[in-house]
């Protein structure tokens, strides 16, 4: 609520989901229809006609800017903010205010936005951020001292000062989530968070600047912030603006500029950069204490892949810790830990935000304390520690790839079972089954949880309502982000069917209508919650039904594979690690198919990792190509994990321009050659066995 006479109207819009709806005789995604509506609205509001126009409407501050969807889903927007959101977007969202919308969606979205803004995982580094932001603003205007908005000590200096303080301490003072600059200054003063006279001078300067701004825009009917240069134009402006003489007004403008700069410099003194020509990591760490000689030598000899990233990560970690000197002493007390943590920061920058979220984790990490020690804590904190601990163990070599998968899967299992067990009446009435990599205990951090759930009794509206309520917890945004996305699309009849189908009545679905790929998914099924007897009976039913229908499934396997191969990629020169012929999904589908064709029961296969399925199958087929395919599959999975940890994994697509940071596949050519070899092996096995 701080508009100027000639302001743009900055808006963002989100919707609940992207289901299809009927629009003018066609089925279209909700976002497509709403995109057209928002575009039409913007045209009406912003296009001039004979009577002028209403406002300039600007939607460019949405997630991903001009390149993002005009109206993303609420969860899509929050995913963007939590994964790629920058500090300036946190500043921007301090000013967010609801205009209209669905109350439940609005409450959920704003709750997620609050967790993003005031988030201990994303330290502000206030001094550096404030000065970098102001420098960028000033340089953009080429240090135009007549611009009342961007001049050093001007409007932006006051606004950025307030916003930086809000981001720094707003997590402890929720009332500071306020977009109005004068109200924020009043709050800071009333709670003695800044000195009273400093708040008063900033408020007085801000009102003075904004009055000048309004007069400039009112007179010229333009979005301008530039005071006329000394001379006739300034004299005329001074006469319109106040009864002061022009020279006196110039002095007053200069006075307020200097006073604002003094206040900003008092709370956020500009950092002094070291001129020493030493290793940047040593330079960063020794600001907090002395480094032992062996650690200095180790740092100087270690070949870092991303030195700048490691320095930035260390800076964030130490500045977020209550006692940086104590943290450095703790780190340097164990030489091997120091070496491992530097490797983690180099190999897995994706966990850095998590590292600063729990100041009490460091002792546990140094002592190699397993995650189950934290199970009784808040489940989000437990998850954060488990992900950090597992990544550290994996990058340091203490964990094999299988150990890493097992650790992450155990964490997912614990959270799922614990959350559903919070409602005993619900947990005793459902059968919760893990599928995909969750089912085969091969999850990596950040994966979705593929699940199918059945009601063991007749459908009950209360059970369905309780089930929906529990599931909302998994995607609820907290200061630690979300638990993970739960995916029930593999249920009978797919996404358009009830999420909680009845177990017994849906056996007929598998007998008559289920596609072959649905049987394949149950080769990795594992019970998470519910009766073991019910689960075994369900597997037995699947065995019986498959034995009747299996002869129709060989051609269906080939058809499904061809359909997957026909899926187009935006870049024909790229490689899709998961979906390309020879990729991860192609290998998994083949092994599942050959296992079923070889007579293995669902109970023989369910819950076993792909490594075990390969061994089990090769005992029957005695084919050395399976051993090579198994090795390639392991290389692909290790590559996938390392790329995700290094923050270089975007939807599984790789091209010659994609950064590749892996211990097994060093460049794009190797990846493409491995995928080609895998494809050839798969097609040979298909020709000879199917």
């Amino acid at each position: 609520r701080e508009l100027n006479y000639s302001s743009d109207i900055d808006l963002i819009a989100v919707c609940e989901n992207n289901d299809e709806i009927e629009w003018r005789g066609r089925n279209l995604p909700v976002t497509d229809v709403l995109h057209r509506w928002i575009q039409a609205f913007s045209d009406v509001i912003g296009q001039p006609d004979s009577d002028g126009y209403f406002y300039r409407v600007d939607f460019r501050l949405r997630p991903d800017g001009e390149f993002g969807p005009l109206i993303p889903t609420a969860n899509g927007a929050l995913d963007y903010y939590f994964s790629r959101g920058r500090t300036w977007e946190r500043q921007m969202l301090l000013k967010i205010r609801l205009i209209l919308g669905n109350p439940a969606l609005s409450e959920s979205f704003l709750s997620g936005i609050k967790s993003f803004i005031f988030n201990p995982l994303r330290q502000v580094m206030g001094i550096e951020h404030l000065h970098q932001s102001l420098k960028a603003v000033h340089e953009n205007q080429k240090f135009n001292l007549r611009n009342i908005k961007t001049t050093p000590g001007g409007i932006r200096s006051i606004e950025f000062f307030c916003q930086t303080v809000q981001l720094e301490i707003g997590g402890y003072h929720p009332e500071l989530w306020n977009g109005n600059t004068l109200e924020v200054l009043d709050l800071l003063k009333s709670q003695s968070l800044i000195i009273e006279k400093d708040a008063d001078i900033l408020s007085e300067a801000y009102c003075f600047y904004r009055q000048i701004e309004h007069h400039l825009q009112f007179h010229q009917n333009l979005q301008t912030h530039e005071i006329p240069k000394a001379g006739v134009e300034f004299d005329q402006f001074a006469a319109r603006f106040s009864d002061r003489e022009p020279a006196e007004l110039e002095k007053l403008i200069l006075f307020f500029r200097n006073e604002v700069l003094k206040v900003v410099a008092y709370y956020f003194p500009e950092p002094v950069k070291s001129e020493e020509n030493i290793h940047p990591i040593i330079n960063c760490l020794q600001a907090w204490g002395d480094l032992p000689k062996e650690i200095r030598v180790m740092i100087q000899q270690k070949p870092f892949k991303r030195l700048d990233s490691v320095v930035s990560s260390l800076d964030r970690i130490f500045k977020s810790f209550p006692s940086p000197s104590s943290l450095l002493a703790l780190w340097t007390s164990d030489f091997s830990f120091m070496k491992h943590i530097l490797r983690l920061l180099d190999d897995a920058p994706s966990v850095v935000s998590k590292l600063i979220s729990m100041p009490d984790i460091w002792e546990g990490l140094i002592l190699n304390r397993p995650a189950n020690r934290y199970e009784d804590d808040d489940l989000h904190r437990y998850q954060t520690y488990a992900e950090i601990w597992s990544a550290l163990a994996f990058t340091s070599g203490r964990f094999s790839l299988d150990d890493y998968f097992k650790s992450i899967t155990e964490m997912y299992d614990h959270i799922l079972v614990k959350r559903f067990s919070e409602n005993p009446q619900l947990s005793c009435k459902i059968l919760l089954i893990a599928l995909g990599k969750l089912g085969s205990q091969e999850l990596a951090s950040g994966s979705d949880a593929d699940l199918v759930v059945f009601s063991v009794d007749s459908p009950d509206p209360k059970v369905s309502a309780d089930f929906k309520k529990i599931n909302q917890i998994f995607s609820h945004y907290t200061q630690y982000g979300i638990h993970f996305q739960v995916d029930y699309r593999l249920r009978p009849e797919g996404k358009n069917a009830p999420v909680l189908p009845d177990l017994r009545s849906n056996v007929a679905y598998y007998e008559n209508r289920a596609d072959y790929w649905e049987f394949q998914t149950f080769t990795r099924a594992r019970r998470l919650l519910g009766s073991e007897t019910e689960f075994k009976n369900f597997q037995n039913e699947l065995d019986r039904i498959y034995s009747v229908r299996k002869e129709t499934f060989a051609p269906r396997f080939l058809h499904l594979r061809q359909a997957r191969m026909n899926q187009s990629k935006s870049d024909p020169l790229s490689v899709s690690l998961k979906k390309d012929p020879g990729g991860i999904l192609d290998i998994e589908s083949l092994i599942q198919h050959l296992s079923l064709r070889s007579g293995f029961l669902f109970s023989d296969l369910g819950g076993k990792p792909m490594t075990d399925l390969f061994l089990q199958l090769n005992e029957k087929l005695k084919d050395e190509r399976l051993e090579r395919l198994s090795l390639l599959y392991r290389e692909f999975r290790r590559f996938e994990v390392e790329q995700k940890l290094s923050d270089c994994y975007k939807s599984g697509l790789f091209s010659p321009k994609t950064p590749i940071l892996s211990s097994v596949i060093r460049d794009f050519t190797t990846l493409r050659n491995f995928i080609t070899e895998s494809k050839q092996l798969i097609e040979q096995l298909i020709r000879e066995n199917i």
Side-chain angles (χ1 to χ4, degrees), residues 614 617-632 677 681 684-685 688:
F614 269 107
L617 183 61
N618 203 23
E619 285 180 10
K620 277 205 170 187
L621 299 185
K622 307 293 185 190
D623 192 325
E624 63 182 18
R625 288 171 297 188
L626 286 171
E627 295 179 14
R628 178 59 183 168
L629 197 58
S630 175
L631 178 60
L632 288 171
E677 182 187 358
L681 290 171
Q684 289 172 15
L685 288 164
E688 296 174 21

Side-chain angles (χ1 to χ4, degrees), residues 30 44 91 132 166 246 248 265 296 335 574 581 655 682:
V30 170
V44 170
Q91 283 181 262
Q132 287 171 3
Q166 287 174 278
E248 187 182 349
R296 294 171 67 95
F335 175 81
S574 66
S655 73
I682 288 171

Side-chain angles (χ1 to χ4, degrees), residues 202-259:
L202 291 180
S203 296
E204 190 178 351
Y206 191 71
C207 289
F208 175 71
Y209 290 149
R210 294 302 302 273
Q211 287 173 339
I212 289 178
E213 190 178 40
H214 286 312
H215 272 73
L216 290 169
Q217 296 187 4
F218 226 69
H219 180 68
Q220 300 181 40
N221 196 23
L222 292 173
Q223 193 175 23
T224 182
H225 312 90
E226 192 167 330
I227 302 169
K229 293 179 181 178
V232 176
E233 283 189 38
F234 182 79
D235 293 347
Q236 292 174 348
F237 164 74
R240 290 194 306 272
F241 180 69
S242 73
D243 56 2
R244 292 185 178 90
E245 291 295 321
E248 187 182 349
L249 182 58
E250 281 277 19
K251 286 182 182 178
L252 188 58
I253 293 171
L254 183 61
F255 166 78
F256 278 124
R257 282 186 57 228
N258 291 334
E259 289 299 306

Side-chain angles (χ1 to χ4, degrees), residues 73-138:
T73 63
N75 274 350
L78 291 171
D79 284 343
Y80 163 83
Y81 289 129
F82 275 84
S83 62
R84 306 195 300 283
R86 290 154 291 181
T87 304
W88 72 261
E89 288 172 298
R90 294 170 68 193
Q91 283 181 262
M92 169 196 74
L93 291 169
L94 285 167
K95 293 180 174 288
I96 196 170
R97 179 170 65 87
L98 175 67
I99 295 176
L100 60 88
N102 176 289
L105 174 61
S106 303
E107 182 181 354
S108 171
F109 181 64
L110 291 178
S111 173
I113 289 294
K114 184 176 182 180
S115 297
F116 166 66
I117 297 172
F118 303 114
N119 193 323
L121 303 182
R122 292 170 170 78
Q123 285 302 114
V124 182
M125 296 186 289
I127 292 178
E128 289 87 345
H129 169 71
L130 177 64
H131 287 284
Q132 287 171 3
S133 301
L134 289 175
K135 185 179 179 183
V137 169
H138 302 333

